[in-house]
Amino acid sequence: MLEIKFVRQNLAAVQQSLATRGDKTDWTAFNQADQQRTTILAEIEQLRHSRNVASEQIAQLKREGVDAEQKMAEMRSVGDRIKALEKDLIEHEENLKTILLSIPNIPHASVPVGQNAEDNPVVKTIGHPPAFGFEPKGHWDIGESLGILDFGRAAQITGARFPLYLGAGARLERALINFMLDIHTLEHGYTETLPPFIVNRQSMTNTGQLPKFEADLFKLENWDYFLIPTAEVPVTNIHAGDTLPEERLPLYYTAYTPCFRSEAGSYGKDTRGLIRQHQFNKVELVKFAAPETSYDELESLLHNAETILERLGLAYRVIALCTGDMGFSAAKTYDIEVWMPAQGVYREISSCSNFEDFQARRANIRFKRKGQKGTQLVHTLNGSGLAVGRTVAALLENYQQADGSVIIPEALRPYMGGKDRIA
RNA sequence: GGAGAGAUGGCCGAGUCGGUCGAAGGCGCUCGCCUGCUAAGCGAGUGUGUGAGGAAACUUGCACCGAGGGUUCGAAUCCCUCUCUCUCCGCCA
């Protein structure tokens, strides 16, 4: 959520900036609701003031044993007027809030302007795609013929777009989770968390999934609860409502969670394999930082995620998302894309964003500077470190051998019971 | 699932029959004084949000005592609903 005062005072600039993201806010409705709210609020406050004064006088009169009936009668009508105005006010405030909650974040000045994914510039490309003396197979073929992935049986259990890992495949998934968590906790200083996988409506609203994107979420029947689409939601909400002392910043958290996405409207894309599933595992990185450091923190967060790919020896590149391709809450986003030999393309495996104070305002996450009055909103950041299913897919494809086996990269072997190959 | 208790400022904790309560007292913290150092002592200050005025210090309106609603001229205090926490019972991994 943007600060209403800021929007009001910089309306033209805000509109111009959001236009680069293809935003469709109804600014007339916004202005109207805002102005009416201000007018009504001013009157209410004035009336409440006179009521407060009168109440004090009534108390005084009663103490002196003087009759206060006249004053009380007078205040009865004031009270009625306040009540009526308050009803009005709530209506306008709700309008305003609905609009405000649906306005995306303002892109950082360094974000390239563009329409869609094709306009995302490549920031850097690391490593070299492996050369094969044969036609590399898709990870779904490799996985199914090794007996470590079975999408048919997963469909029997649930439906399309759910994974079933078996044997070394399940072990590989678990190994990667531990591998990633160990690096982030032991080397990068993140605190490990294991949050709820189901969250309430408020938490979803705080991080920006709601109110606009309810269709992408799985909702529980008879509960106002949702399956998390990413650990970002529960982990960011750890500090919802908190005022943190400055010394505690920056805070780093990591979490392994499954993620659930209904991916409404994505049918037909990536129908094979692990790339686009309704349920997948992810190790997430979340940071809370002071505003002046948040862009440095974004860079280091990105490096933390990159480290995993480097250790696994996977080729990847980093792209900067352009204004038209960024997510709703982000002020700036880097995507890491891993090389997928079967299709010969780089595929997203991590997304690292700085949300600035957009989520913090919604979730009311503040910090207090020593010796300074008042509080300030923190900046929140997060990134995948990494999407585990897609990492498995990349490993299978990049380390496949002519005989159909798959080499396990050295760094992962301790997590695979010393195994160096899946055959 | 059943029965009961509770939710107040950074923390502990008071709030009487609703009125001078944004909230006693203590702890903590900040500043000052004092003390050879430390400790103790003394004095002052010490919530958040939002609006107005001011360069600022600050002054001032409104709101906030788990959340929402109600009663009332007036609610931290009374009533209702919800949420959460704790205790006991049941059930269960």
Side-chain angles (χ1 to χ4, degrees), chain A residues 95-110:
Chain A
N95 279 343
L96 201 59
K97 186 113 200 196
T98 306
I99 297 170
L100 220 46
L101 283 173
S102 299
I103 299 175
N105 203 356
I106 294 174
H108 186 252
S110 66

Side-chain angles (χ1 to χ4, degrees), chain A residues 91-166:
Chain A
E91 203 174 298
H92 287 111
E93 280 188 334
E94 277 172 2
N95 279 343
L96 201 59
K97 186 113 200 196
T98 306
I99 297 170
L100 220 46
L101 283 173
S102 299
I103 299 175
N105 203 356
I106 294 174
H108 186 252
S110 66
V111 173
V113 174
Q115 300 269 311
N116 51 47
E118 285 164 30
D119 299 326
N120 296 334
V122 175
V123 175
K124 61 181 169 184
T125 305
I126 307 288
H128 301 285
F132 294 96
F134 56 95
E135 185 71 23
K137 290 197 273 188
H139 67 272
W140 53 90
D141 283 338
I142 302 166
E144 300 230 346
S145 51
L146 285 172
I148 61 174
L149 288 175
D150 193 331
F151 294 101
R153 288 175 198 278
Q156 165 187 298
I157 297 164
T158 308
R161 295 185 186 279
F162 283 85
L164 171 63
Y165 296 80
L166 298 159

Side-chain angles (χ1 to χ4, degrees), chain A residues 337-410:
Chain A
E337 299 182 325
V338 69
W339 177 251
M340 298 296 285
Q343 291 170 305
V345 295
Y346 286 96
R347 293 303 304 257
E348 176 186 345
I349 197 165
S350 172
S351 193
C352 302
S353 303
N354 186 357
F355 302 91
E356 298 191 2
D357 61 15
F358 189 84
Q359 294 180 325
R361 184 171 294 107
R362 289 169 166 243
N364 194 23
I365 308 171
R366 306 177 155 270
F367 75 104
K368 182 166 177 51
R369 291 191 202 268
K370 237 186 156 140
Q372 266 188 36
K373 281 183 79 166
T375 58
Q376 238 181 306
L377 294 165
V378 304
H379 281 191
T380 59
L381 303 93
N382 68 57
S384 352
L386 308 161
V388 182
R390 290 187 178 186
T391 307
V392 168
L395 288 176
L396 294 182
E397 291 194 13
N398 281 278
Y399 286 103
Q400 63 181 300
Q401 305 298 305
D403 64 2
S405 68
V406 174
I407 302 279
I408 295 166
E410 190 114 16

